[in-house]
Amino acid sequence: MPTCLIIGECMVELAPLTHDSLRKQFAGDTFNTAVYLKRCLPTCEVNYFTAVGTDLLSREMTERFAEEGINTQYVARSQSKTVGMYLVNTDASGERSFSYWRNDSAARQMLTTAALPDVYFDIVYVSGITVAILDEPQREILISGLKRYQQAGAKIVFDPNYRPQLWSGIEQAREWTKRLYSLCDIAFPGGDDHRELYGHQSEQEVFTFLQGLGVREIVLKRGAESVEIAQHNAHFSVAVKPVAEVVDTTSAGDAFIGGYLAKTLAGEDCCVAAGFGARVAGIVIGAKGAIIERDYFFQRLN
Ligand code: ADP
C-alpha cells in the first residue's frame, strides 16, 4: 500500500450561504490536496500531520479528516490553542476576498506540539504555506525532518504557494522557498509566485532556476492551456482540456497536485500524472468550494 505524509494547516471556512447566514466547512491547501489524493487513490494511506486544539471545533475538524479516509493518527492536540479560521467575502460584483483569523492557531505550533512521525513514507508533501506559518526554529525542525524522510527513501514534494502576508518580508520568503526547492524531488512552481518572489519573467527562467537548485521533476501548470514538465533533462508538454463553464477555481492547484500524486504513487509516469491531475482540477473548478461534494466528484471521475 503506498503511503504519504502531508504536513500543513486546515482551517474552518465560513462562506456566505444566504445574505445573513454562513456555511461552516473545513479547508486549507494541504488538506485539499490530501482529500483529492485519497479520493483518487483510495488504496493509499494518506496521513495528515497538523495540530488542532481540544475543543469541539477541533474535534469536528479531525472527524472531517477521518470522514475523507485520511489517517488522523498524527494530528497533534494543543491544550491551549484552537484551529484557525477564514471568512469568504463576496462583494457586489461577485469578486471574492478572504479575512483570516489564524495568527494564533494550533497548527502554527505543530512541530513543538508533536514530533514528526519516525516512520517510512513514499511521499512527504509540504507547501509554502506550511513553511510560512511556522516560526524559524520549527522551520529548521521541518527541514531536518524532510531530510530524514528523504534519506529513508521518501520523495519530497513541494508547492511554494506564496502568500506574502504570512511572511515577515520577501527576503525571508525567497530564502525559505529556495531551501525547500533545494531539497525537494518534485516541485509545482507557479508562474505568478515566481514573478513576485524572484522576478522571473518567463517559464524558461523558472525551469533554469529550479534545475540550478537540483529539482529533478518540475511541474509547471499553465491554467487551461497545458502542463509543462522538466524531468531530469527531458521536457514534456501535456495538453489540458479547457473547461467551458468554470464555476469556482478555488483549490484547482491543490486538486491538480492530489491527482498528480495519486498517479505517481500508483507508479505511472509524469505525463499520465499531469493529464490526470488536470482532469481532477477540471472537475473541481466545475463546482463551488475548495472541496466539492463526494458524489458529484465521483460521478465525474468515473
Ligand atoms: P493554481 O491554482 O495553482 O494557480 P492553475 O490556475 O494553473 O493553478 O490551475 C490548476 C489546474 O487547474 C491547471 O493545471 C489546469 O489543469 C486546471 N485548470 C485551471 N483553469 C482551467 C480551465 N479554464 N479549464 C481547464 N482546466 C483548468
Side-chain angles (χ1 to χ4, degrees), residues 184-215:
C184 80
D185 299 278
I186 307 177
F188 293 90
D192 292 346
D193 286 354
H194 275 256
R195 229 179 337 273
E196 265 192 81
L197 266 180
Y198 301 109
H200 294 157
Q201 299 301 326
S202 69
E203 282 155 16
Q204 193 46 56
E205 265 186 272
V206 175
F207 281 119
T208 306
F209 177 75
L210 295 184
Q211 278 163 335
L213 294 173
V215 186

Side-chain angles (χ1 to χ4, degrees), residues 1 7 45 50 67 72 75 79 123 142 157 185-186 198 218 231 233 245 260 272 275:
M1 185 203 282
I7 307 170
E45 183 193 289
T50 189
E67 200 179 284
T72 60
V75 175
Q79 297 301 319
I123 277 182
L142 178 66
V157 181
D185 299 278
I186 307 177
Y198 301 109
I218 305 162
Q231 194 185 43
N233 287 320
E245 223 176 296
Y260 191 98
V272 172

Side-chain angles (χ1 to χ4, degrees), residues 103-159:
N103 288 349
D104 193 34
S105 69
R108 296 190 91 122
Q109 299 295 325
M110 63 174 103
L111 289 167
T112 49
T113 306
L116 286 168
D118 189 10
V119 175
Y120 171 83
F121 299 101
D122 295 308
I123 277 182
V124 179
Y125 175 65
V126 293
S127 83
I129 295 178
T130 312
V131 185
I133 61 166
L134 301 173
D135 55 25
E136 296 268 322
Q138 290 185 89
R139 287 175 189 159
E140 295 294 351
I141 295 172
L142 178 66
I143 295 264
S144 329
L146 294 177
K147 283 184 181 160
R148 276 200 310 278
Y149 288 130
Q150 195 169 43
Q151 277 156 12
K155 270 190 180 155
I156 307 299
V157 181
F158 178 58
D159 172 358

Side-chain angles (χ1 to χ4, degrees), residues 221-224 227 240-243 246 252-253 256 277-278 281-282 285:
K221 291 163 275 130
R222 302 179 65 242
V227 182
V240 171
K241 205 167 137 221
V243 170
V246 177
F256 175 92
I285 63 178

Side-chain angles (χ1 to χ4, degrees), residues 1-229:
M1 185 203 282
T3 59
C4 178
L5 179 69
I6 296 185
I7 307 170
E9 176 174 29
C10 180
M11 285 168 290
V12 177
E13 181 197 81
L14 298 176
L17 188 58
T18 64
H19 76 284
D20 63 354
S21 64
L22 294 167
R23 181 174 182 190
K24 182 180 79 185
Q25 287 177 294
F26 298 100
D29 67 337
T30 48
F31 173 59
N32 305 341
T33 296
V35 167
Y36 291 116
L37 166 57
K38 182 67 186 180
R39 288 185 185 181
C40 294
L41 189 65
T43 55
C44 179
E45 183 193 289
V46 180
N47 300 277
Y48 197 47
F49 183 91
T50 189
V52 299
T54 54
D55 57 331
L56 179 62
L57 207 48
S58 299
R59 287 204 301 278
E60 281 178 5
M61 181 183 281
T62 312
E63 279 163 17
R64 177 78 188 97
F65 299 165
E67 200 179 284
E68 288 286 349
I70 294 166
N71 186 4
T72 60
Q73 183 184 353
Y74 305 119
V75 175
R77 279 161 188 87
S78 161
Q79 297 301 319
S80 57
K81 296 184 187 294
T82 184
V83 292
M85 188 178 295
Y86 67 97
L87 176 66
V88 182
N89 312 293
T90 311
D91 70 13
S93 65
E95 194 64 34
R96 287 151 53 98
S97 62
F98 303 90
S99 305
Y100 290 93
W101 292 266
R102 74 189 308 184
N103 288 349
D104 193 34
S105 69
R108 296 190 91 122
Q109 299 295 325
M110 63 174 103
L111 289 167
T112 49
T113 306
L116 286 168
D118 189 10
V119 175
Y120 171 83
F121 299 101
D122 295 308
I123 277 182
V124 179
Y125 175 65
V126 293
S127 83
I129 295 178
T130 312
V131 185
I133 61 166
L134 301 173
D135 55 25
E136 296 268 322
Q138 290 185 89
R139 287 175 189 159
E140 295 294 351
I141 295 172
L142 178 66
I143 295 264
S144 329
L146 294 177
K147 283 184 181 160
R148 276 200 310 278
Y149 288 130
Q150 195 169 43
Q151 277 156 12
K155 270 190 180 155
I156 307 299
V157 181
F158 178 58
D159 172 358
N161 237 338
Y162 177 48
R163 297 287 184 278
Q165 65 278 14
L166 290 176
W167 294 94
S168 59
I170 192 165
E171 270 312 322
Q172 197 196 35
R174 273 189 197 127
E175 212 35 56
W176 280 100
T177 304
K178 223 165 114 176
R179 280 187 73 180
L180 266 294
Y181 272 141
S182 302
L183 80 86
C184 80
D185 299 278
I186 307 177
F188 293 90
D192 292 346
D193 286 354
H194 275 256
R195 229 179 337 273
E196 265 192 81
L197 266 180
Y198 301 109
H200 294 157
Q201 299 301 326
S202 69
E203 282 155 16
Q204 193 46 56
E205 265 186 272
V206 175
F207 281 119
T208 306
F209 177 75
L210 295 184
Q211 278 163 335
L213 294 173
V215 186
R216 285 172 288 278
E217 190 166 321
I218 305 162
V219 185
L220 200 139
K221 291 163 275 130
R222 302 179 65 242
E225 287 170 44
S226 68
V227 182
E228 303 297 319
I229 307 167

